[in-house]
Amino acid sequence: MGGGKRTTASRLINCPFEIWGKRRVDGIWWVVLKNISHNHVSSSDRSGHPSCRRFSKEEIEQIKEMTIAGIPPRQILTSLRQSNQNLQAIARTLYDAKAKIRNESLLGRTPIQALFEDIGQGGFIYDFKHNKSGHLTHLFFAHPLSVALTDSYSYVFLMDCTYKTNRYKMPLLDIVGVTSFNTSFYSCFAFLEREEEEDYVWALERFGKILGVDGHPLVIVSDRDLALMNAIQVVFPRTTHLLCVWHIEKNVLSKCMSQFEEKEEWDMFLSTWTYLIKSLDESTFDTAWKLLEIQYKEKVFILNYLRNTWLPFKEKFVYAWTEKYMHFGNHVTSRAEGAHAMLKKYLQVSTGDFREVKGKICLAIENQFQEIKARLCSEKVRIPHKFHIPLFKELVTHVSIHALREIFKQYELATSATQVATCRGHFSNTMGLPCAHKIRVKKDGTLELDDIHQQWRIDIRSFTNIDGALDSEGVQIDCLLKEFHEKYQQMPLVQKEDARIQIAQLVDVPFPFIHEPNVHPHKGHPMGSQKRKDDSSTRRDPSAFEIVERNKKCGVCKGVGHNSRTCQYKVTALSSS
């Protein structure tokens, strides 16, 4: 291949073989052999002919079902071969079949029109924006199951954007909540044109509508995205906003590690910085900062960076301030990072349109919801043996096992001979659970349900009727759509436009005459990173701190690409001695 041109080929080789056939009125075929000679040898393997690689109708139905279930193409092909040993199809055959199925499911509509019909008749909460030329620029949506979970667990949320999820290269804002079991759930999603304050304000205002008129989270955790931080302050002024401690540490690493020549010096600095973050009161923080200024007074760049970039937001990440708020132990956005990773396992590629991405997101949400519902029902009838103590008499089967474990740790402190530190109220303030000091007072009695924050209560929650009510009308519409689809395939081309209008009336959703979004460039690559050649990958580009860690010097030989533990120079020296 050269010059970016596609290599083409043909199976036409001017073979003289010719046979004519005509069907008579009585139904009998009349066949005449015009020329029976060939200019080529006979094929030794019929798999070389596309007509022999076609799927049967039954196999097409299996492909549809497995595609909807999110099974990767290679596994679909393997499954089909297990049931049909003579299957001649190859990967290209499967991709073509999937493309045909996808086009047929559109019923003559554009992907954007089909998307709005899907979310309109599926009970989603959604909104969108488009520019003057009619191209979609913003799309917010929340699955009905996610809305139910958000309504039940409306206290703490984590927000972060992820990339490489769609063919338009638009960032996806993922808002993640926390359950009674300390697990995560997808609350809502928003595709944004840009990552500026007005874009975030638009998305957060739609998220606020899910929470209700007076609803606002207790705590929101994010990284240091100034546009998102400003938007949170605008939309949720009463909400406490915390910054991810992990992201802060990695940003400090990427900016400051190069200022240290020895690994031991860097480790010492990082330990000092961590101690400062974990200061439990303001006076301890002030002392730790003064010590850091004195100890690293020659590192002017580092001190200026910390002073100008992070200290103005110290109330959002230093424990002296953050441990006053009910964040349920969420200091970092790793929960959101994990949600991104799980979502991309469903997406598989980053070349899907919004309808395809929405379908994969729905699979993730529905599986996630089923796990939460099953766990809720299970913990209502399951009691770990170590919790059979008088203190927990009123709590078991009413409070999640995760919360009981956290209380049990405090119970062990309260009943141990070890002197318990002076109560600062941090554990109760942040977790909504009784601390060791309160348990010591009650160790001869029992804890009450009023001592437990509603976040951890399982007796006040039930999701058994939500998925069944999503609704019967939706099931009826799905049946009608399936019946209509079968008729649509038999229609002449001239009738399909009228049929498209009928399908819109069937689902009772108006067609927004909106074009697909323009393709946006990805967020800039960090210095030193290499742009991926595989444009379909969902894997993110390396972060700045990963590039620094990858290029850091070995403490033994000062080489790059390894550390002192794996240094070959060190290994050779030890073996020779």
Side-chain angles (χ1 to χ4, degrees), residues 280 319 322-331 392 395 401-414 420-439 447 451-453 456:
L280 294 179
Y319 284 22
T322 62
E323 299 308 278
K324 300 175 183 178
Y325 305 110
M326 196 82 68
H327 54 62
F328 305 126
N330 290 279
H331 291 100
F392 286 178
L395 305 186
I401 291 176
H402 172 78
L404 293 177
R405 288 197 187 103
E406 292 296 320
I407 300 173
F408 192 78
K409 293 176 185 177
Q410 298 296 313
Y411 169 74
E412 290 178 321
L413 285 174
V420 181
T422 304
C423 183
R424 297 175 179 269
H426 287 175
F427 182 79
S428 296
N429 290 340
T430 60
M431 296 297 291
L433 299 171
C435 64
H437 304 86
K438 188 169 185 178
I439 291 174
L447 291 173
D451 298 326
I452 311 299
H453 192 278
W456 309 114

Side-chain angles (χ1 to χ4, degrees), residues 32 48 60 85 112 201 410:
V32 177
I60 290 294
Q85 298 294 330
I112 292 295
V201 167
Q410 298 296 313

Side-chain angles (χ1 to χ4, degrees), residues 74-194:
R74 63 181 180 277
Q75 295 181 15
I76 293 177
L77 207 53
T78 300
S79 177
L80 293 174
R81 284 207 176 98
Q82 288 176 341
S83 58
N84 180 6
Q85 298 294 330
N86 298 319
L87 185 69
Q88 303 294 325
I90 58 175
R92 183 72 265 167
T93 315
L94 179 61
Y95 295 143
D96 290 342
K98 285 166 64 72
K100 185 177 180 181
I101 291 169
R102 184 166 55 251
N103 290 333
E104 288 178 349
S105 69
L106 292 175
L107 296 172
R109 304 163 293 172
T110 67
I112 292 295
Q113 291 170 336
L115 168 70
F116 280 106
E117 287 181 7
D118 290 346
I119 60 180
Q121 63 98 3
F124 286 70
I125 291 178
Y126 71 98
D127 201 352
F128 62 92
K129 286 174 65 177
H130 59 83
N131 57 24
K132 295 179 180 179
S133 60
H135 291 277
L136 189 69
T137 58
H138 299 71
L139 176 63
F140 173 92
F141 65 94
H143 193 287
L145 298 178
S146 295
V147 173
L149 291 171
T150 301
D151 183 60
S152 184
Y153 300 109
S154 58
Y155 306 108
V156 174
F157 293 93
L158 301 92
M159 300 179 180
D160 192 24
C161 273
T162 186
Y163 312 92
K164 295 188 176 182
T165 63
N166 59 93
R167 68 169 59 167
Y168 317 108
K169 301 182 181 180
M170 293 174 68
L172 175 63
L173 176 64
D174 184 4
I175 300 181
V176 177
V178 185
T179 69
S180 299
F181 323 109
N182 199 39
T183 58
S184 308
F185 68 89
Y186 296 109
S187 175
C188 58
F189 298 88
F191 290 103
L192 305 176
E193 184 179 34
R194 297 176 303 276

Side-chain angles (χ1 to χ4, degrees), residues 299-354:
K299 306 286 187 182
V300 179
F301 172 81
I302 292 177
L303 292 178
N304 287 338
Y305 170 71
L306 297 178
R307 190 181 293 112
N308 298 329
T309 304
W310 296 112
L311 288 196
F313 306 109
K314 61 181 182 293
E315 292 87 355
K316 296 181 182 294
F317 67 91
V318 177
Y319 284 22
W321 288 273
T322 62
E323 299 308 278
K324 300 175 183 178
Y325 305 110
M326 196 82 68
H327 54 62
F328 305 126
N330 290 279
H331 291 100
V332 297
T333 57
S334 57
R335 200 179 288 277
E337 301 289 345
H340 296 337
M342 179 59 66
L343 181 62
K344 289 185 176 183
K345 288 181 180 179
Y346 281 89
L347 292 177
Q348 300 172 21
V349 294
S350 60
T351 55
D353 58 46
F354 282 165

Side-chain angles (χ1 to χ4, degrees), residues 367-397:
N367 290 337
Q368 185 185 71
F369 178 81
Q370 185 59 37
E371 292 284 342
I372 294 171
K373 188 178 73 167
R375 188 164 181 177
L376 180 65
C377 296
S378 173
E379 293 198 3
K380 286 182 178 180
V381 296
R382 176 171 165 259
I383 307 174
H385 294 301
K386 70 177 182 180
F387 297 150
H388 282 286
I389 56 177
L391 188 72
F392 286 178
K393 180 181 178 182
E394 301 295 326
L395 305 186
V396 290
T397 71

Side-chain angles (χ1 to χ4, degrees), residues 542-553:
S543 299
F545 76 86
E546 291 172 314
I547 296 171
V548 171
E549 287 184 325
R550 187 172 58 199
N551 297 331
K552 66 183 179 182
K553 295 180 179 179

Side-chain angles (χ1 to χ4, degrees), residues 15 46 83 85 121 125 132 142 226 237 268 274 279 302 332 363 405 456 458 460-461 488 490 502 546 571:
C15 179
R46 63 192 183 94
S83 58
Q85 298 294 330
Q121 63 98 3
I125 291 178
K132 295 179 180 179
L226 296 178
M268 180 71 71
T274 302
S279 302
I302 292 177
V332 297
L363 289 178
R405 288 197 187 103
W456 309 114
I458 60 177
I460 60 176
R461 292 179 170 87
Y488 182 85
Q490 308 300 325
Q502 292 177 28
E546 291 172 314
V571 172

